């Protein structure tokens, strides 16, 4: 699995054997608004979405960003751990 940040297209991706899971965001006032997440159908039910979202949160932490979870799934992952409360609104 390869995690990348495509800043040009406002997207985080996780490549799983050529299938791409993604988190799309917008930047506003130095905050990332995490608006959409998607996992290809053939990868669903394997925890890929959670891995992608947590890697996104780790990247945000490393880069010093605060974020707002708009996507329902991203909100769910954030709410299940105290670890992300300092960066996710």
């Amino acid at each position: 699995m390869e995690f990348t940040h495509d800043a040009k297209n406002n997207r985080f991706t996780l490549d799983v054997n050529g299938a791409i899971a993604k988190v799309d965001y917008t930047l506003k006032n130095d905050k990332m608004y995490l608006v959409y997440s998607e996992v290809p159908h053939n990868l669903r039910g394997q925890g890929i979405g959670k891995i992608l979202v947590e890697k996104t949160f780790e990247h945000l932490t490393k880069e010093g960003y605060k974020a707002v979870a708009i996507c329902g799934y991203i909100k769910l992952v954030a709410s299940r751990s105290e670890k992300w409360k300092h960066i996710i609104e």
Side-chain angles (χ1 to χ4, degrees), residues 39-71:
V39 174
H41 289 282
N42 62 321
L43 296 178
R44 292 184 184 170
Q46 301 175 42
I48 300 300
K50 182 180 178 190
I51 292 167
L52 169 63
V53 170
E54 288 185 343
K55 285 186 177 290
T56 299
F57 292 169
E58 289 167 5
H59 182 82
L60 295 174
T61 300
K62 186 174 86 174
E63 296 294 320
Y65 280 102
K66 297 286 184 186
V68 177
I70 305 296
C71 168

Side-chain angles (χ1 to χ4, degrees), residues 18-85:
I20 306 295
K22 65 182 180 178
V23 167
D24 291 332
Y25 67 88
T26 58
L27 266 178
K28 194 184 320 179
N29 301 324
D30 293 325
K31 248 184 216 178
M32 276 193 189
Y33 289 78
L34 306 173
V35 295
Y36 181 72
S37 64
E38 181 180 37
V39 174
H41 289 282
N42 62 321
L43 296 178
R44 292 184 184 170
Q46 301 175 42
I48 300 300
K50 182 180 178 190
I51 292 167
L52 169 63
V53 170
E54 288 185 343
K55 285 186 177 290
T56 299
F57 292 169
E58 289 167 5
H59 182 82
L60 295 174
T61 300
K62 186 174 86 174
E63 296 294 320
Y65 280 102
K66 297 286 184 186
V68 177
I70 305 296
C71 168
Y73 182 73
I74 295 172
K75 283 183 186 180
L76 179 68
V77 173
S79 73
R80 288 184 173 169
S81 175
E82 294 289 318
K83 182 178 181 179
W84 310 118
K85 292 203 182 272

Side-chain angles (χ1 to χ4, degrees), residues 6-19:
D6 178 359
K8 181 181 175 188
N9 292 306
N10 293 351
R11 178 174 288 166
F12 294 98
T13 60
L14 187 64
D15 184 327
V16 182
N17 299 321

